Amino acid sequence: MSLLKVQNLSKRFGGNLAVDGVGFELAAGELLAMIGPNGAGKSTTFNLLNGQLRPDCGTVTLAGRSLVGLTPRQVCRRGVGRTFQIAETFASLTVLENVQMALIAADGRLFAGWRRAGQHRRDDALALLAQVGMQAQAERPCSALAYGDVKRVELAIALAGQPSLLLMDEPTAGMAPAERLALMALTKRLVVERGLAVLFTEHSMDVVFAHADRLIVLARGCLIAQGSPAEVRKDPQVQAVYFGSGRTFGAAP
Ligand code: ADP
Ligand code: MG
């Protein structure tokens, strides 16, 4: 049974059909990569899923309930999380404080109150930090962290909302290759351990082929291929349209 079902999703910007009849499914416990050249419609698809944009047509359901027409806040409340960059104003707070704040915000959302704030949240925040391998750095200000570690904290913040589906648009942008692999290995572990569904975009083919369970490929707004990494790798249309004729999959640039 798929958690997320997307059918015939389309979005036009003026004369530009940015997303053109896209359909795919995503199950709990699955790590799905969306790849495609710049301008293929990946971010627009993410924004259609999370309520930032309203589709011109198409359906999006999470656990059988439609998400179309909901605000980003309402989509989030349904259990769709996304990674946000830690705002500059929060960089001076400690790692722990940032995750505690995310938990308190989630409480406000779930329980309409601040009843569970305080020491209890501190323990939960530490548990989340342990899951992303950041417990030892809990008392450091985020501004003092290495870039890859900031990304781990952002992941812990996203998990504070207890999402069933996590949307990650270019989560490893700006990271060194080893950090990219490490972040996606961590994400993959969370997918397996928590039964989380994750949709992510990523430019490095090394990262995609190392960790994705399945791939969908967009080109000019259309979904041109989907399947296992091995299936997509040998798809002639993917080879031709996405990678250009003559180019094959290989090491990341
Ligand atoms: P990707 O994330 O795959 O690089 P995008 O979804 O950002 O692609 O963009 C798909 C197409 O839609 C591009 O041609 C882009 O210029 C256009 N586009 C994206 N967002 C907007 C917008 N808010 N207004 C107008 N055109 C947009
Ligand atoms: Mg994009």
Side-chain angles (χ1 to χ4, degrees), residues 11-14 16-19 34-47 53 169-170 201 203 218 220-221:
K11 181 69 187 178
R12 180 184 289 277
F13 296 114
N16 180 4
L17 198 47
V19 175
M34 180 186 284
I35 64 170
N38 279 335
K42 303 183 296 296
S43 293
T44 303
T45 300
F46 272 70
N47 291 335
L53 289 173
D169 192 4
E170 299 197 32
T201 64
H203 288 298
L218 291 190
R220 293 200 193 89

Side-chain angles (χ1 to χ4, degrees), residues 89-253:
T89 40
F90 296 134
S92 61
L93 299 180
T94 67
V95 166
L96 181 63
E97 285 165 343
N98 266 284
V99 178
Q100 278 182 292
M101 282 190 21
L103 284 166
I104 289 167
D107 277 356
R109 204 183 76 214
L110 297 170
F111 307 110
W114 295 64
R115 276 164 290 164
R116 298 180 63 205
Q119 192 61 30
H120 181 69
R121 298 282 80 182
R122 184 187 159 88
D123 293 342
D124 288 348
L126 285 170
L128 274 175
L129 287 171
Q131 286 208 22
V132 300
M134 285 296 294
Q135 203 172 11
Q137 302 194 65
E139 303 297 343
R140 297 184 70 196
C142 281
S143 57
L145 299 180
Y147 190 66
D149 289 340
V150 173
K151 293 287 159 185
R152 286 173 184 268
V153 178
E154 289 171 1
L155 192 52
I157 288 170
L159 293 175
Q162 294 187 289
S164 56
L165 166 66
L166 189 59
L167 303 174
M168 304 169 82
D169 192 4
E170 299 197 32
T172 68
M175 294 174 87
E179 281 183 329
R180 287 171 178 244
L181 280 166
L183 185 75
M184 289 322 297
L186 167 62
T187 305
K188 172 74 182 180
R189 187 161 60 70
L190 295 170
V191 163
V192 172
E193 286 177 3
R194 300 172 75 113
L196 193 63
V198 173
L199 176 65
F200 77 104
T201 64
E202 167 62 51
H203 288 298
S204 162
M205 288 304 120
D206 278 358
V207 173
V208 168
F209 285 107
H211 296 297
D213 295 312
R214 212 152 49 79
L215 274 71
I216 54 181
V217 187
L218 291 190
R220 293 200 193 89
C222 296
L223 196 150
I224 61 163
Q226 57 181 316
S228 69
E231 284 163 351
V232 167
R233 190 195 291 266
K234 61 174 193 266
D235 186 291
Q237 211 186 342
V238 175
Q239 294 279 354
V241 175
Y242 177 46
F243 296 95
S245 51
R247 264 192 79 186
T248 53
F249 292 100

